[in-house]
Amino acid sequence: MQDVVIIGAGPAGLSAAFWCDELGLDTLVLEQAEQIGGQLHQVYNPIENYLGLKTRNGEELLAIFAKEVDSAEFDLWTGTNITSVDLKARRISLASGENLQSIGIVIASGVRPRELGVPGEKEFIGKGVIESGARDRELFAGQDVCVVGGGDAAVENALLLAEVCATVTLVHRSKKLRARREFAERLRPNNRITVFTESVLTRIIGDEQVQAVEIQRKEGLKPFQLAVRGVLIRIGVEPNTELFREQLETDEKGFIAVNSQQETSVPMVFAVGDVSNPSAPTISGATGAGATAAKIIAARLNAR
Ligand SMILES: Cc1cc2nc3c(=O)[nH]c(=O)nc-3n(C[C@H](O)[C@H](O)[C@H](O)COP(=O)(O)OP(=O)(O)OC[C@H]3O[C@@H](n4cnc5c(N)ncnc54)[C@H](O)[C@@H]3O)c2cc1C
C-alpha cells in the first residue's frame, strides 16, 4: 500500500513526486517510457519561459530536473505497462502481473501529437515526414516543404523552416489561423511562405522519400498535388486518458476536468499538467499543478 501512485514522469509527475517526497508521503511513480521527461524530449527550441532557468532545449532542462529526482527518495519505475486502473478503488494492475493499491492517485500522463490519419503519414516518418522544424530544418535546406496546421506550433515551425527552405506551404483547414498574433503577423511579409486556408492535406506521396502531397482546397474542388520533399504535421495534441476516460469527468476531447486543487470527479484522484490543462499547457503550469496536488493530498492524509 502506497500513500500516492503517480502515473507519468513528465514535468508534472516529477514535480508531484518531488513534493510528495518533501511532504513525507510514500510515493511511487509509474512511467511507461524507458526514460523520464515526457515531452521535454521533443523540445529542441531554447526554453526561455521557465522562471529562473534558461536552457538550450528540453534535454538540458530535464538534466536539471533529473538531478533533483536522483536525490529524492520516491520510487520510480520506468518501462511500466499499466493494463487497468480502478480509480474509485485506487487499484492499478500492471502487465507484469503486479497489483498496486494506494490512498491517492495522481494522473500526470500528458499528451501526444494528434495524427492526421492520412496515407503516408506513418510510412514516411524520417523519410520526409518531419518531426521537428527546430531540429531537422537543415536537412531540408533549399527544398520545398509543407506544414499542416494553423496553431502556434504549426506557424512557428513554418517560420523556422522558411529561414532555410526554398518554399513553405502552410495548409490549414479553417478560414482563420489560430496562431498568436505575433506569429501570424510574421507570416504575411515572408515571401517564401504560402498559406492555403480552408484546405486539407489528404495524402503524402513518395517512394523511398516524400515527393509530393495531395491537397484538397475547399469542398467540391478537385484535389491537386504539390511537389515537396518534407511535410510537418502540427494539428494539436490528444490527452493520454484512454485508461481512465470512462471513470471520471472529462471534456469532449478527453482532457480531465479538475478544480483549483487539481481534484478530479473521483475522490483522492488528482490530475496535473497537460492532461488536465488543454488551454494553457506549459512546463511552469505542469510543475505548479504537481506541487498543488501533493500539498492537497498531504493535507487530506494528515486530516485522517
Ligand atoms: C516542441 C515542444 C516545445 C515546447 N516548448 C515549450 C516551452 O518553450 N515552454 C513551456 O513551458 N512548454 C513547452 N512545451 C510544453 C511542455 O513540454 C509541456 O507543457 C510539459 O511537458 C507538460 O508536462 P506533463 O508532465 O503534463 O506531460 P508530458 O510531458 O506529456 O509527460 C507525460 C508523461 O506521462 C507518461 N505516460 C503517458 N501515459 C502513461 C501511462 N499510461 N502510464 C505511465 N506513463 C504514462 C508519458 O510517457 C510521459 O513521460 C513544449 C512542448 C513541445 C512538444
Side-chain angles (χ1 to χ4, degrees):
M1 175 72 130
Q2 305 281 332
D3 287 337
V4 190
V5 171
I6 297 169
I7 300 173
L14 291 176
S15 169
F18 183 76
W19 269 94
C20 283
D21 186 49
E22 174 105 346
L23 296 165
L25 305 180
D26 184 16
T27 306
L28 169 63
V29 183
L30 304 176
E31 168 57 54
Q32 69 182 5
E34 293 300 335
Q35 47 185 0
I36 64 169
Q39 290 171 71
L40 292 183
H41 295 286
Q42 297 158 30
V43 182
Y44 299 100
N45 51 284
I47 297 177
E48 295 173 331
N49 41 32
Y50 189 76
L51 186 64
L53 285 176
K54 286 204 195 314
T55 62
R56 274 175 300 176
N57 50 42
E59 293 292 345
E60 206 173 282
L61 183 59
L62 177 58
I64 298 168
F65 286 175
K67 259 196 196 156
E68 299 279 2
V69 170
D70 284 346
S71 60
E73 284 182 6
F74 58 81
D75 290 320
L76 169 66
W77 297 356
T78 52
T80 303
N81 184 0
I82 299 174
T83 49
S84 68
V85 180
D86 182 338
L87 290 180
K88 271 206 181 105
R90 293 181 302 282
R91 199 175 304 125
I92 297 177
S93 303
L94 306 182
S96 59
E98 270 165 291
N99 291 303
L100 306 168
Q101 181 77 51
S102 63
I103 300 172
I105 288 181
V106 179
I107 301 171
S109 50
V111 298
R112 59 179 182 273
R114 196 151 80 81
E115 289 176 5
L116 203 52
V118 298
E121 182 176 11
K122 289 212 171 86
E123 295 89 306
F124 290 112
I125 290 176
K127 299 174 185 167
V129 169
I130 308 168
E131 287 180 288
S132 162
R135 184 190 59 184
D136 298 333
R137 65 189 173 149
E138 290 305 331
L139 299 174
F140 294 87
Q143 317 248 25
D144 301 314
V145 299
C146 174
V147 175
V148 185
D152 283 349
V155 175
E156 189 177 19
N157 274 283
L159 290 164
L160 275 175
L161 287 163
E163 288 175 14
V164 298
C165 294
T167 67
V168 178
T169 305
L170 183 67
V171 178
H172 180 47
R173 80 183 158 174
S174 310
K175 219 171 185 170
K176 242 185 130 211
L177 297 175
R178 285 189 325 275
R180 66 179 93 148
R181 202 171 351 143
E182 171 208 340
F183 288 154
E185 277 173 359
R186 283 169 53 205
L187 276 185
R188 251 170 261 137
N190 194 319
N191 56 16
R192 290 190 186 177
I193 303 178
T194 306
V195 182
F196 287 165
T197 53
E198 293 181 276
S199 304
V200 288
L201 186 146
T202 47
R203 198 150 62 101
I204 300 170
I205 303 155
D207 41 37
E208 292 297 298
Q209 292 282 326
V210 169
Q211 290 179 328
V213 287
E214 187 179 78
I215 296 171
Q216 167 98 52
R217 295 203 73 186
K218 288 189 187 157
E219 265 176 47
L221 290 182
K222 247 181 115 190
F224 67 94
Q225 287 190 9
L226 178 77
V228 293
R229 301 299 289 177
V231 185
L232 189 143
I233 299 164
R234 281 286 183 281
I235 53 166
V237 294
E238 286 180 310
N240 296 318
T241 49
E242 284 74 7
L243 274 172
F244 331 104
R245 237 174 241 194
E246 309 305 323
Q247 301 178 50
L248 40 57
E249 217 177 282
T250 67
D251 71 6
E252 70 285 357
K253 290 184 178 154
F255 286 91
I256 300 173
V258 289
N259 64 15
S260 60
Q261 300 190 322
Q262 305 302 137
E263 290 170 302
T264 69
S265 54
V266 181
M268 289 308 282
V269 177
F270 297 74
V272 296
D274 287 12
V275 75
S276 58
N277 187 1
S279 50
T282 60
I283 302 163
S284 327
T287 54
T292 301
K295 291 207 85 163
I296 300 298
I297 294 170
R300 295 279 147 77
L301 291 185
N302 286 338
R304 278 176 164 228

